[in-house]
Amino acid sequence: ISLNKEIDEDFYEELEEILIGADVGVNASLQIVESLRDKVKERKIKKADEVKELLKEELAKIVEGKSQGLNLNEHQPAVIMVVGVNGVGKTTTIGKLAFKFKEEGKKVLLAAGDTFRAAAIEQLEVWANRSGSGFIKHQQGSDPAAVAFDAIQAAKSRGTDVVIIDTAGRLQTKVNLMQELQKVKRVIQKEIPDAPHETLLVLDATTGQNAISQAKLFDETVNLSGIVLTKLDGTAKGGVVFGICSEMEIPVKFIGIGERIEDLREFNPENFVEALFD
Amino acid sequence: SLSEKLQNTFKKLKGKGKLSEKDVKEAMREVRMALLEADVNYKVVKDFVNKVKERAVGAEVLKSLTPGQQVIKIVHEELIDLMGGTNSSINIASKPPTIIMMVGLQGAGKTTTAGKLGANLKKKGRRPLLVACDVYRPAAIHQLEVVGSQIDIPVFSMGDRQNPVNIAKAAVSHAENHGNDTVILDTAGRLHINEELMDELKNIKAEVKPHEILLVVDAMTGQDAVNVAEQFNEALGIDGAVLTKLDGDTRGGAALSVKAVTGCPIKYIGVGEKLDALEDFHPDRMASRILG
Ligand SMILES: Nc1nc2c(ncn2[C@@H]2O[C@H](COP(=O)(O)OP(=O)(O)OP(=O)(O)O)[C@@H](O)[C@H]2O)c(=O)[nH]1
Ligand SMILES: Nc1nc2c(ncn2[C@@H]2O[C@H](COP(=O)(O)OP(=O)(O)OP(=O)(O)O)[C@@H](O)[C@H]2O)c(=O)[nH]1
Ligand SMILES: [Mg+2]
Ligand SMILES: [Mg+2]
């Protein structure tokens, strides 16, 4: 949007299209631009680039979560459960988190809770080796809850600082698979009453409006503490998080920006909003 | 639903013979909303709505339909027309082996779909060979080997230290020497904006000249579907697409975006994690799903 632009209907339409094109969703985009119009009138803003800056401020406010980091230091072991639909980047994200904690001097244990998908256990084992983490696995096809239980026992006896539990990808509409996830959580809670201390939903930034349904149903099933938005190194903008943050107040805690172990960043609202307009 | 919204839009007009420009303009607003909510790319929606508008203005409202139903009928037909009407089967080579190359973004479902396609072709009496060209993702080769063993289809691999171009080349020779009439190349997921990795695909294509290049797309992909489809098509020339994870509740507007921007037909859909969960693409069912 050029700096000499008029604040007219075309201008507001252009802003709407940027938001819709970023997967913010048509209704959310209309509401955001509507409230922007009111503020522009109220504050008697005359310059187009000032309107654009105001929009960025309003968008950043929506995704500014109160707890950006992970609250792990008050628990030993701290338990993180990672969930999400198929192929979004859960296993890779766990490898990245493990590496981050290792760099912070923490002792990490990874639990191979995906006992279903071909070579899922082997895939996580590679990440455990790369990140210098301990590794707990059972046989292919075994009960994921049993793996979680085993991992927590091992963590307690080894003085592990962080346990990260990988789970199989599952579409949120599959009731039996969502129930399986609830069982894994119950088993964790039985061993450590306020665990898992973090339940992270991994969302693929290329996902459209179905992300809202994913966040809603996973939150209802296992109560989410945060979101990791992956594949932001692509051209997708991940605009679905605005709807999720405003409706469900689940903060985005990290973003994935590549396939390497170091490609994880803490979520920064301002940078995220800037990128929408690139 | 869209039909309810359109019933409301047209509540005030009873028994009119034709759809006026004003009636249609109002209805198109609802159609646009429905398609955007279904994740169809907003530029594709613009073109589509204009096309529908042309057909709808002055259209006779059939005696058996309300004006709202008449508009839905036109939208439905236009969607089916746009997404269907093309060859939806794999191109078979006149001289074996037929070479199929699976490409797409990370996590779209290529490896699983390669297995499903192999199983499907085996059922039809063909002798497929799965080829492990993903040398980057941890345990990717192992994953394809497990998939192959589950459906009793051989997997060709040269480990993860070899160049995927060499692996593809060696796989085709292997197929020729072992009577495999179909070669399915599973490639690593990659971004359409990664020049080096897109070049790798171009090099594989130049080396083995696939008869069928399938773009595997996650059905929950949003607005970005247009960028991905455009870039992969520009780089390689896509013969068809497979839309995966349609066993969920995503509306699947990416189907329309992919077809509109590349002209390539969607040939199959993935409807589950098991290796028998592959179905033919039906444009009429997809149209209903997108409209919600
Ligand atoms: N470009 C990019 N690729 C990513 C990112 N995160 C993960 N990936 C890739 O996405 C693909 C899927 O990652 P996985 O970690 O296997 O995803 P998952 O959610 O565990 O998959 P399932 O267990 O099968 O449900 C792999 O090719 C990863 O390398 C990211 O931030 N950027
Ligand atoms: N529910 C469902 N899951 C699917 C479908 N197709 C694939 N998956 C799952 O999606 C995830 C990713 O599948 P992969 O086959 O590993 O995807 P990929 O494109 O090969 O991934 P990369 O090689 O990392 O790019 C796995 O958990 C699969 O089981 C489908 O049609 N339905
Ligand atoms: Mg995984
Ligand atoms: Mg793969």
Side-chain angles (χ1 to χ4, degrees):
Chain A
I1 307 180
S2 76
L3 293 174
N4 311 321
K5 192 114 188 193
E6 282 276 338
I7 303 178
D8 56 10
E9 269 321 298
D10 284 352
F11 176 71
Y12 282 118
E13 231 183 75
E14 232 177 291
L15 292 180
E16 265 172 27
E17 287 194 339
I18 289 177
L19 296 179
I20 292 172
D23 285 315
V24 174
V26 58
N27 286 317
S29 302
L30 294 179
Q31 282 175 17
I32 289 168
V33 173
E34 204 49 38
S35 108
L36 180 71
R37 258 186 231 257
D38 293 342
K39 291 207 165 76
V40 167
K41 220 184 210 153
E42 229 176 87
R43 302 182 196 187
K44 302 202 170 50
I45 299 179
K46 298 286 176 246
K47 295 216 197 106
D49 50 316
E50 283 181 29
V51 176
K52 193 172 159 202
E53 286 314 304
L54 179 59
L55 176 58
K56 288 182 190 175
E57 286 172 28
E58 293 303 309
L59 288 171
K61 278 193 201 147
I62 299 175
V63 291
E64 246 142 38
K66 308 168 212 71
S67 62
Q68 224 67 280
L70 297 178
N71 61 342
L72 305 176
N73 290 319
E74 318 120 41
H75 314 281
Q76 178 137 34
V79 180
I80 302 175
M81 187 163 103
V82 178
V83 302
V85 303
N86 307 70
V88 294
K90 297 177 294 300
T91 304
T92 308
T93 298
I94 290 171
K96 295 173 182 178
L97 284 170
F99 178 68
K100 166 182 150 66
F101 297 140
K102 185 83 202 291
E103 300 268 275
E104 293 169 2
K106 296 199 165 80
K107 199 159 183 275
V108 185
L109 177 67
L110 303 186
D114 181 352
T115 56
F116 170 75
R117 206 208 70 212
I121 296 171
E122 289 73 9
Q123 183 187 6
L124 186 65
E125 188 153 23
V126 172
W127 287 110
N129 293 331
R130 286 181 182 178
S131 60
S133 309
F135 188 63
I136 292 287
K137 64 175 173 178
H138 285 194
Q139 281 238 38
Q140 180 80 12
S142 53
D143 182 0
V147 181
F149 177 87
D150 200 5
I152 293 182
Q153 300 313 320
K156 283 178 177 175
S157 71
R158 297 177 196 182
T160 300
D161 298 310
V162 190
V163 184
I164 313 178
I165 300 176
D166 193 9
T167 63
R170 68 205 66 220
L171 298 183
Q172 70 279 21
T173 46
K174 309 221 161 165
V175 179
N176 57 331
L177 296 183
M178 295 304 272
Q179 285 176 343
E180 175 187 85
L181 210 54
Q182 270 179 335
K183 178 170 174 224
V184 175
K185 178 157 185 157
R186 273 202 305 276
V187 164
I188 296 170
Q189 280 173 329
K190 204 153 165 287
E191 293 312 301
I192 300 177
D194 43 281
H197 307 100
E198 290 283 346
T199 303
L200 300 176
L201 175 70
V202 178
L203 273 186
D204 186 328
T206 66
T207 306
Q209 298 309 300
N210 194 254
I212 310 283
S213 159
Q214 291 174 26
K216 185 161 171 290
L217 292 180
F218 273 94
D219 191 36
E220 280 174 19
T221 307
V222 289
N223 217 327
L224 303 171
S225 64
I227 287 169
V228 179
L229 189 62
T230 61
K231 307 180 195 173
L232 273 173
D233 46 317
T235 50
K237 304 291 185 181
V240 287
V241 299
F242 291 103
I244 295 172
C245 290
S246 53
E247 280 179 47
M248 294 169 241
E249 305 199 339
I250 305 167
V252 180
K253 300 208 167 185
F254 294 99
I255 61 173
I257 56 165
E259 302 188 69
R260 300 169 316 175
I261 206 167
E262 64 261 41
D263 292 333
L264 186 77
R265 298 285 179 276
E266 291 213 356
F267 179 68
N268 178 303
E270 284 74 26
N271 293 346
F272 180 71
V273 170
E274 259 320 306
L276 289 183
F277 295 87
D278 284 346
Chain B
S1 73
L2 179 61
S3 39
E4 289 166 353
K5 295 210 184 102
L6 288 181
Q7 298 293 47
N8 264 329
T9 306
F10 287 117
K11 232 191 348 240
K12 334 157 198 101
L13 1 149
K14 300 195 189 59
K16 274 196 183 170
K18 290 179 189 253
L19 295 170
S20 76
E21 178 146 12
K22 181 168 174 297
D23 304 335
V24 171
K25 196 157 181 258
E26 195 60 29
M28 289 307 103
R29 205 166 320 184
E30 294 298 341
V31 172
R32 177 177 173 266
M33 295 286 284
L35 294 177
L36 289 174
E37 284 167 354
D39 288 325
V40 181
N41 180 273
Y42 75 91
K43 294 186 192 136
V44 172
V45 171
K46 221 176 217 159
D47 293 341
F48 180 80
V49 165
N50 284 334
K51 218 163 173 257
V52 170
K53 206 186 274 171
E54 281 175 30
R55 257 199 71 186
V57 174
E60 285 286 347
V61 179
L62 298 182
K63 287 218 172 50
S64 52
L65 302 178
T66 65
Q69 287 168 337
Q70 184 62 48
V71 171
I72 294 237
K73 184 169 184 297
I74 294 171
V75 173
H76 215 260
E77 287 171 359
E78 281 300 314
L79 275 178
I80 293 172
D81 200 54
L82 219 172
M83 288 192 296
T86 38
N87 167 36
S88 63
S89 55
I90 301 287
N91 299 322
I92 300 295
S94 45
K95 173 173 174 294
T98 291
I99 302 170
I100 303 170
M101 183 161 99
M102 317 292 295
V103 303
L105 294 184
Q106 292 89 346
K110 297 174 293 300
T111 304
T112 309
T113 304
K116 290 178 181 181
L117 196 52
N120 177 291
L121 294 172
K122 183 174 180 195
K123 260 212 186 95
K124 295 183 173 149
R126 299 188 69 84
R127 303 186 47 189
L129 175 72
L130 289 167
V131 183
C133 287
D134 181 352
V135 301
Y136 309 104
R137 170 174 153 153
I141 297 173
H142 189 163
Q143 182 185 5
L144 191 65
E145 286 172 339
V146 172
V147 163
S149 70
Q150 287 174 348
I151 45 182
D152 192 26
I153 288 180
V155 176
F156 180 88
S157 96
M158 289 172 75
D160 62 6
R161 297 288 180 79
Q162 279 288 344
N163 183 317
V165 181
N166 296 338
I167 299 172
K169 184 164 185 246
V172 175
S173 309
H174 179 98
E176 285 162 348
N177 297 331
H178 289 81
N180 296 106
D181 58 13
T182 313
V183 172
I184 303 173
L185 306 172
D186 180 25
T187 67
R190 68 204 63 214
L191 296 177
H192 47 299
I193 54 173
N194 185 321
E195 270 198 54
E196 197 179 329
L197 287 181
M198 290 307 282
D199 282 346
E200 177 185 278
L201 288 182
K202 289 180 192 169
N203 293 335
I204 296 176
K205 177 182 179 181
E207 186 62 48
V208 300
K209 304 193 178 50
H211 305 92
E212 181 83 28
I213 299 180
L214 289 175
L215 178 66
V216 180
V217 178
D218 192 324
M220 49 175 161
T221 307
Q223 299 289 305
D224 201 44
V226 147
N227 300 327
V228 177
E230 228 162 27
Q231 298 289 327
F232 271 91
N233 194 32
E234 219 164 281
L236 303 167
I238 301 294
D239 296 295
V242 179
L243 213 63
T244 61
K245 308 177 202 172
L246 271 169
D247 42 318
D249 65 350
T250 189
R251 296 266 287 275
L256 187 61
S257 301
V258 170
K259 179 80 206 302
V261 95
T262 64
C264 299
I266 295 170
K267 299 199 171 183
Y268 297 102
I269 60 173
V271 293
E273 295 195 66
K274 302 231 168 85
L275 298 173
D276 56 2
L278 189 74
E279 291 177 2
D280 289 335
F281 176 71
H282 292 280
D284 52 338
R285 291 184 207 167
M286 197 71 222
S288 304
R289 181 176 181 137
I290 289 176
L291 287 180

